[in-house]
């Protein structure tokens, strides 16, 4: 029977119990610990075989991931890290896709111990953006910064239900903003929102959702129950765990996973992510997570757990978990956010990161209201990197990475199992490279500072040369598009 | 079906027929076409042949408000053949929907 908590969305048990076996979900805590313990000090040859399997873009099995998580030899970690970078380049080339978070509402009926949006934190300034306020945010994001892709974020509350989310998507997609040489627009809106029913997912599908993202926070059952207090909707572990199943069942075929690292042992959480990816692949014709996020617990006002957790992840372990996720789910996109400080971001990007954000503001209305200082009482947590996009893009260019604003795939049918197949066979990387060049051209012309443009022009010449050498059959067509963009046309893609 | 897409708007039989139509066109004209469900900006694959080796810009044609056609190599054909193919598809859609 549907269970309804006070002023909360409905949990429909039948929409997840049908996936469970004898009432159990697919995360077996004891088995995960057994697997981790049985793979202590793995044989170097086994590790190298697993690296080879990852380089062949095959998802690892949990016991294989457990072996990698137990590697102690620094030389092997070095090899694994190098392979992580190679895998990323094989699947996605050297582009890094940029996105911006857009916080739309911070009303929340939950009480998560690590989050400033929790209902018991009275000092949080509560707000739900109106459609006019969302338009004002897009004016800045698309018109001044040059973003093309958003992740819209919503607290779990009747005020920000699926109908509100759908309305925000329609508003965002309707905007077109003049820029220096062309126009700016948001071409893909991904969503980070609470678990919902199949019916609600269908509503979001109809308005053109990009990827549906929800993090399980921690896969460890006991910890999950501790940090999500009883009596809240989020306390229902399987309702959240099977939300991607429901999204896929509704036809939303790009879904994203994540864990909030620092709530429980990081090795256990990586195992949970791998189980989750395999569960999706096995149930939905090979469709695994479009992306995996790996945020670390950050200080958050009104959430003492963020300071006191015994499971906080060190920088060294953070790098290791990124490498193991990259090797374990080699086709997936990996999202590094501005939660992390600039120096860490610079260090971990070569380990397989595919997407990141910059010029990030996570306060409600923060882009259009132009406040640059972080305000704990209107944010979910505190950011580690508040640098402007221009600076981050320049830094990446100096590191040899091209920033991409590509949103092509989901606008021409490269979605769901099709994008998965392309990623797994390494073909999508070709599209990534070309579309990175075309969207980088747009951004350099419309938004770059002189200093960044100087660095960017050198990089784009190098990238074009690589296309000429590696994909000569496509070079002429790409250059025609490139010149049209240089003259002010926008949104041309492969 | 070539894919695993779940659609409320198009049933499995219709999607199978789109697959068949794409196969026929492939045999006759040596080009790949695929069909998509249009959901605002999102064009989700539902049927047809999407060849990953074809690195060309996609030509997108809106057949109905919720159904689109995409092809990388349709523009390579002579204009009259392109028109034949589009007519064939439009007639098929008209009959079925």
């Amino acid at each position: 029977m549907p269970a309804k908590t006070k002023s909360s969305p409905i949990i429909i048990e039948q929409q997840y119990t049908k996936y469970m076996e004898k009432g159990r979900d697919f995360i077996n805590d004891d088995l995960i610990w057994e697997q981790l313990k049985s793979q202590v000090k793995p044989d170097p040859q086994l590790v190298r075989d697993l690296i080879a399997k990852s380089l062949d873009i095959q998802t690892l099995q949990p016991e294989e991931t457990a072996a990698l998580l137990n590697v102690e030899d620094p030389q092997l970690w070095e090899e694994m890290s190098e392979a992580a970078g190679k895998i990323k380049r094989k699947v996605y080339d050297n582009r890094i896709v940029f996105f911006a978070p857009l916080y739309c509402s911070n009303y929340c009926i939950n009480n998560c111990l690590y989050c400033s949006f929790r209902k018991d934190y009275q000092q949080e300034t509560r707000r739900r953006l109106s459609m006019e306020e969302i338009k004002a945010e897009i004016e800045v994001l698309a018109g001044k910064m040059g973003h093309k892709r958003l992740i819209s974020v919503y607290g779990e509350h009747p005020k920000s239900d699926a109908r509100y989310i759908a309305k925000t998507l329609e508003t965002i997609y309707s905007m077109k903003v003049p820029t220096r040489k062309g126009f700016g627009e948001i071409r893909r809106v991904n969503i980070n929102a609470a678990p919902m029913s199949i019916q609600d997912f269908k509503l979001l599908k109809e308005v053109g959702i990009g990827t549906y993202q929800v993090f399980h926070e921690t896969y460890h059952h006991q910890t999950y129950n501790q940090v999500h207090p009883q009596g809240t909707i989020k306390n229902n572990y399987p309702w959240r765990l099977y939300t991607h199943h429901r999204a896929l069942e509704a036809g939303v075929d790009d879904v994203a996973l994540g864990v909030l690292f620092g709530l429980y042992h990081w090795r256990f959480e990586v195992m949970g992510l791998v189980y989750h990816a395999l569960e999706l692949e096995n149930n939905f014709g090979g469709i695994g997570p479009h992306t995996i996020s790996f945020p670390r617990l950050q200080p958050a006002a009104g959430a003492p757990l963020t300071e006191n957790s015994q499971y906080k992840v060190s920088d060294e372990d953070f790098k290791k978990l990124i490498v193991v996720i990259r090797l374990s789910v080699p086709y997936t996109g990996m999202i590094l956010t501005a939660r992390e400080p600039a120096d860490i971001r610079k260090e971990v990007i070569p380990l397989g990161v595919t997407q990141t954000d910059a010029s990030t503001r996570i306060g409600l209305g923060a882009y259009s209201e132009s406040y640059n200082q972080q305000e704990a009482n209107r944010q979910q947590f505190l950011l580690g990197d508040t640098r402007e996009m221009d600076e981050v893009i320049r830094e990446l260019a100096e590191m040899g990475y091209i920033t991409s604003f590509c949103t092509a795939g989901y606008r021409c049918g490269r979605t769901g199992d099709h994008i998965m197949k392309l990623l797994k066979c390494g073909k999508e990387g070709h599209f990534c490279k070309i579309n990175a060049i075309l969207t980088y051209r747009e951004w350099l012309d419309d938004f770059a500072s002189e200093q960044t443009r100087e660095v960017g022009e050198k990089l784009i010449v190098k990238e074009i040369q690589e296309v000429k050498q590696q994909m000569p059959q496509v070079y002429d067509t790409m250059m025609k598009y490139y010149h049209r963009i240089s003259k002010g046309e926008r949104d041309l893609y492969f | 079906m070539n894919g695993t897409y779940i659609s409320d708007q198009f049933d499995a039989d219709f999607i199978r027929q789109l697959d068949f139509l794409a196969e026929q066109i492939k045999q006759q004209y040596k080009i790949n076409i695929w069909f998509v469900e249009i959901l605002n900006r999102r064009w989700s694959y539902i049927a047809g042949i999407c060849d990953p080796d074809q690195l060309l810009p996609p030509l997108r044609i809106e057949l109905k408000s919720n159904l689109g056609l995409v092809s990388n190599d349709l523009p390579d054909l002579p204009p009259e053949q392109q028109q034949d193919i589009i007519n064939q598809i439009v007639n098929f859609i008209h009959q079925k929907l």
Side-chain angles (χ1 to χ4, degrees):
Chain A
M1 287 292 289
K4 194 174 184 181
T5 56
K6 194 181 172 185
S7 71
S8 75
I10 292 170
I11 289 177
I12 304 168
E13 288 182 359
Q14 296 92 324
Q15 290 190 1
Y16 64 82
T17 50
K18 64 182 178 182
Y19 291 109
M20 300 172 85
E21 280 187 32
K22 295 180 184 166
R24 294 198 65 161
D25 62 65
F26 59 85
I27 299 292
N28 181 333
D29 297 27
D30 294 337
L31 177 62
I32 288 177
W33 276 119
E34 268 174 42
Q35 287 169 327
L36 282 167
K37 285 174 186 163
S38 70
Q39 297 290 341
V40 174
K41 288 194 181 169
D43 178 51
Q45 189 52 50
L46 169 69
V47 173
R48 291 188 176 109
D49 289 346
L50 295 176
I51 290 174
K53 185 176 177 184
S54 302
L55 282 164
D56 197 32
I57 320 300
Q58 295 182 53
T59 313
L60 299 188
Q61 293 303 306
E63 57 274 19
E64 295 174 327
T65 296
L68 297 183
L69 286 165
N70 277 304
V71 169
E72 289 178 10
D73 179 358
Q75 171 60 34
L76 281 176
W77 273 110
E78 191 63 34
E79 290 176 37
M80 287 161 61
S81 302
E82 200 180 308
K86 270 189 197 166
I87 289 164
K88 188 266 173 182
R89 286 191 297 280
K90 185 174 181 180
V91 179
Y92 294 96
D93 210 276
N94 67 328
R95 61 58 161 173
I96 303 286
V97 164
F98 267 48
F99 68 93
L102 173 63
Y103 277 71
C104 294
S105 175
N106 64 356
Y107 285 96
C108 194
I109 55 171
N110 290 312
N111 213 6
C112 313
L113 301 186
Y114 48 82
C115 181
S116 293
F117 290 174
R118 60 198 294 251
K119 67 177 179 182
D120 281 358
Y121 182 50
Q122 305 292 331
Q123 282 72 41
E124 184 77 4
T125 309
R126 304 288 167 175
R127 189 170 170 192
R128 184 188 81 159
L129 297 185
S130 68
M131 294 309 124
E132 286 310 307
E133 287 169 331
I134 284 179
K135 284 180 184 173
E137 296 286 89
I138 302 305
E139 294 269 353
V140 178
L141 284 160
K144 293 197 168 70
M145 293 175 174
H147 280 292
K148 305 284 187 279
R149 175 188 296 238
L150 298 183
I151 177 94
S152 293
V153 185
Y154 310 82
E156 182 162 21
H157 196 278
K159 281 179 187 286
S160 53
D161 61 8
R163 280 167 301 176
Y164 171 75
I165 296 172
K167 212 170 158 194
T168 61
L169 254 72
E170 287 175 322
T171 302
I172 294 165
Y173 281 138
S174 72
M175 297 282 292
K176 219 168 194 181
V177 192
T179 58
R180 207 187 283 166
K181 207 171 170 182
F183 63 89
E185 62 181 344
I186 299 300
R187 298 170 183 162
R188 176 174 182 142
V189 186
N190 301 329
I191 283 173
N192 180 304
M196 56 190 88
S197 66
I198 292 169
Q199 290 72 16
D200 282 345
F201 278 122
K202 285 183 177 178
L203 190 59
L204 299 187
K205 183 190 162 195
E206 281 169 23
V207 294
I209 181 177
T211 300
Y212 172 70
Q213 177 193 70
V214 70
F215 303 159
H216 199 66
E217 322 294 11
T218 172
Y219 286 100
H220 186 249
H221 285 81
Q222 192 186 336
T223 305
Y224 187 93
N225 285 326
Q226 284 167 357
V227 299
H228 305 114
Q230 281 195 354
T232 62
I233 199 162
K234 197 160 172 178
N235 180 256
N236 188 318
Y237 185 106
W239 176 247
R240 192 172 189 87
L241 189 67
Y242 290 98
T243 191
H244 304 87
H245 290 61
R246 296 193 295 281
L248 285 155
E249 214 180 302
V252 176
D253 52 4
D254 289 315
V255 295
L257 305 179
V259 152
L260 182 53
F261 281 96
L263 297 176
Y264 191 58
H265 291 277
W266 65 270
R267 288 184 172 88
F268 183 98
E269 305 291 21
V270 173
M271 293 290 284
L273 284 168
V274 172
Y275 268 104
H276 206 158
L278 287 167
E279 164 78 11
L280 295 177
E281 284 187 40
N282 293 336
N283 277 283
F284 296 96
I287 302 178
H290 194 77
T291 57
I292 291 179
S293 297
F294 38 88
R296 279 193 289 185
L297 207 56
Q298 297 295 343
L305 179 69
T306 59
E307 304 286 356
N308 306 332
S309 173
Q310 60 175 307
Y311 298 112
K312 283 195 151 192
V313 179
S314 69
D315 291 349
E316 279 314 300
D317 288 342
F318 186 55
K319 290 176 209 163
K320 287 180 180 174
L321 72 87
I322 293 172
V323 167
V324 178
I325 294 171
R326 176 76 289 160
L327 293 172
S328 299
V329 194
Y331 59 83
T332 200
M334 290 184 64
I335 298 180
L336 172 74
T337 70
R339 277 176 183 254
E340 296 296 333
D343 57 330
I344 294 293
R345 291 197 342 148
K346 194 172 178 180
E347 275 189 66
V348 304
I349 275 182
L351 301 178
V353 169
T354 63
Q355 292 190 30
T356 196
D357 56 341
S359 286
T360 303
R361 306 284 181 268
I362 57 172
L364 278 286
Y367 293 106
S368 54
E369 291 161 16
S370 302
Y371 72 88
N372 292 321
Q373 296 302 312
Q374 297 201 64
E375 292 181 18
N377 288 343
R378 62 172 183 174
Q379 297 187 181
Q380 192 179 21
F381 55 88
L382 293 175
L383 295 168
D385 185 359
T386 54
R387 288 176 299 164
E388 295 303 319
M389 195 148 89
D390 190 81
E391 185 183 344
V392 180
I393 289 177
R394 186 167 65 247
E395 181 181 89
L396 285 176
E398 285 162 350
M399 291 166 69
Y401 293 98
I402 182 167
T403 296
S404 175
F405 295 92
C406 172
T407 55
Y410 100 124
R411 292 186 293 150
C412 59
R414 294 203 299 271
T415 52
D417 61 334
H418 269 251
I419 187 84
M420 284 291 146
K421 284 176 198 157
L422 288 168
L423 291 167
K424 288 172 185 174
C425 72
K427 306 275 186 189
E428 183 64 15
H430 298 151
F431 291 101
C432 290
K433 191 169 193 71
I434 294 165
N435 288 325
I437 290 170
L438 297 177
T439 56
Y440 199 53
R441 179 74 273 153
E442 286 185 347
W443 190 84
L444 287 178
D445 288 346
D446 283 342
F447 302 101
S449 68
E450 275 310 306
Q451 197 185 352
T452 299
R453 199 178 158 115
E454 201 178 308
V455 182
E457 294 294 350
K458 285 179 193 159
L459 177 65
I460 212 165
V461 166
K462 180 177 149 282
E463 292 291 319
I464 289 171
Q465 201 54 35
E466 283 180 13
V467 170
K468 193 175 184 179
Q469 286 163 359
Q470 295 164 16
M471 297 175 262
Q473 76 283 13
V474 80
Y475 175 75
D476 286 344
T477 313
M478 184 195 77
M479 289 312 293
K480 279 181 196 156
Y481 270 41
Y482 183 82
H483 291 307
R484 283 167 63 186
I485 288 171
S486 300
K487 287 177 184 162
E489 270 192 74
R490 290 290 172 266
D491 203 17
L492 302 175
Y493 55 88
F494 277 59
Chain B
M1 283 187 288
N2 287 333
T4 57
Y5 186 67
I6 298 161
S7 170
D8 278 347
Q9 303 193 68
F10 308 112
D11 63 31
D13 186 49
F14 177 69
I15 291 174
R16 263 191 294 273
Q17 291 180 56
L18 289 178
D19 272 330
F20 183 67
L21 182 60
E23 292 285 354
Q24 278 186 319
I25 287 168
K26 168 98 179 167
Q27 281 180 14
Q28 193 176 347
Y29 298 97
K30 315 284 183 234
I31 62 154
N32 298 314
I33 59 163
W34 63 98
F35 296 94
V36 296
E37 183 174 10
I38 301 174
L39 304 148
N40 204 332
R41 297 275 170 108
R42 184 185 185 93
W43 285 43
S44 280
Y45 171 93
I46 54 175
I49 306 158
C50 177
D51 181 357
D53 287 323
Q54 284 190 319
L55 258 179
L56 290 165
L59 171 72
R60 305 192 318 162
I61 298 171
E62 198 173 311
L63 300 167
K64 285 174 67 72
S65 62
N66 60 354
L67 182 66
L69 164 73
V70 187
S71 177
N72 291 331
D73 48 6
L74 180 64
D76 295 343
L77 295 177
E80 60 277 13
Q81 282 192 359
Q82 290 185 40
Q83 197 54 55
D84 283 348
I85 292 169
I86 292 167
N87 289 345
Q88 199 178 328
I89 293 166
V90 169
N91 288 338
F92 173 81
I93 302 295
H94 186 68
Q95 282 170 20
K96 299 292 172 186
L97 294 178

